[in-house]
Amino acid sequence: RQCDFHNKRLILNAALLACGTLSHKLTFNTFIVINSKDPAAALKLALADPPLAAKEIAPKEEFASIVGLILYAQNQTSEIKKLLSELESSQCDLIMGCVFRLMEMGKKDKVNVFNSAVLFRWHKAMVDQYGEGIIVRHMTPREWI
């Protein structure tokens, strides 16, 4: 089943409320951009202020959930590749961190509205485009999502 981005916003709107991500300061603006049918702009806005220095897990999970909603809306390989071509490598590093965080959140038996297959599609597309270095950067000691 393929739906355009506009139709997927209904799923995203429900997921935003279900995930409890409304406390993140970018949520409202991201929500507006998501509804404007521009996934690249929504993703860039969501990635603009990551909580890298946060000591608590909650802000990082909220951030990853917001990014995940946009990733989930772009779930076909062709859509993913097109979107990745519009982003900088540093933004893709953040996305990879969010993919790993979302996988971890699902593993902890938390509420996870994200389909693992979609996360793996994003993971594969980023490795195809940026090489294995995008994975290795998350294994080195740095502050990540």
Side-chain angles (χ1 to χ4, degrees):
R1 284 184 287 168
Q2 277 197 320
C3 300
D4 63 10
F5 188 74
H6 180 69
N7 291 337
K8 293 175 187 172
R9 74 184 169 102
L10 297 175
I11 296 168
L12 297 175
N13 294 348
L16 269 173
L17 297 172
C19 289
T21 58
L22 297 176
S23 64
H24 190 280
K25 65 183 176 181
L26 289 176
T27 302
F28 183 71
N29 291 334
T30 306
F31 188 75
I32 290 170
V33 176
I34 286 171
N35 285 321
S36 75
K37 304 181 198 177
D38 189 352
L43 196 51
K44 288 175 184 178
L45 181 61
L47 295 170
D49 189 22
L52 298 177
K55 301 292 183 205
E56 304 83 27
I57 299 274
K60 294 181 179 198
E61 288 183 348
E62 290 175 0
F63 177 80
S65 294
I66 292 168
V67 172
L69 294 173
I70 301 165
L71 300 183
Y72 184 69
Q74 302 301 304
N75 60 20
Q76 300 300 318
T77 303
S78 60
E79 295 172 339
I80 294 169
K81 288 181 179 181
K82 181 180 180 288
L83 193 52
L84 286 177
S85 70
E86 298 178 34
L87 301 173
E88 298 174 12
S89 63
S90 60
Q91 292 171 317
C92 290
D93 283 344
L94 286 171
I95 293 170
M96 185 62 89
C98 291
V99 166
F100 288 143
R101 175 68 65 186
L102 292 167
M103 288 178 185
E104 181 183 355
M105 288 167 62
K107 195 169 64 173
K108 289 182 190 175
D109 201 28
K110 295 187 177 198
V111 175
N112 192 357
V113 297
F114 304 105
N115 181 336
S116 296
V118 173
L119 296 175
F120 282 116
R121 273 189 223 122
W122 274 90
H123 184 279
K124 181 183 180 335
M126 286 186 285
V127 170
D128 288 348
Q129 184 163 338
Y130 293 101
E132 293 176 359
I134 198 163
I135 298 170
V136 173
R137 284 190 287 279
H138 290 278
M139 294 180 194
T140 58
R142 290 174 63 182
E143 293 177 338
W144 289 109
I145 293 302

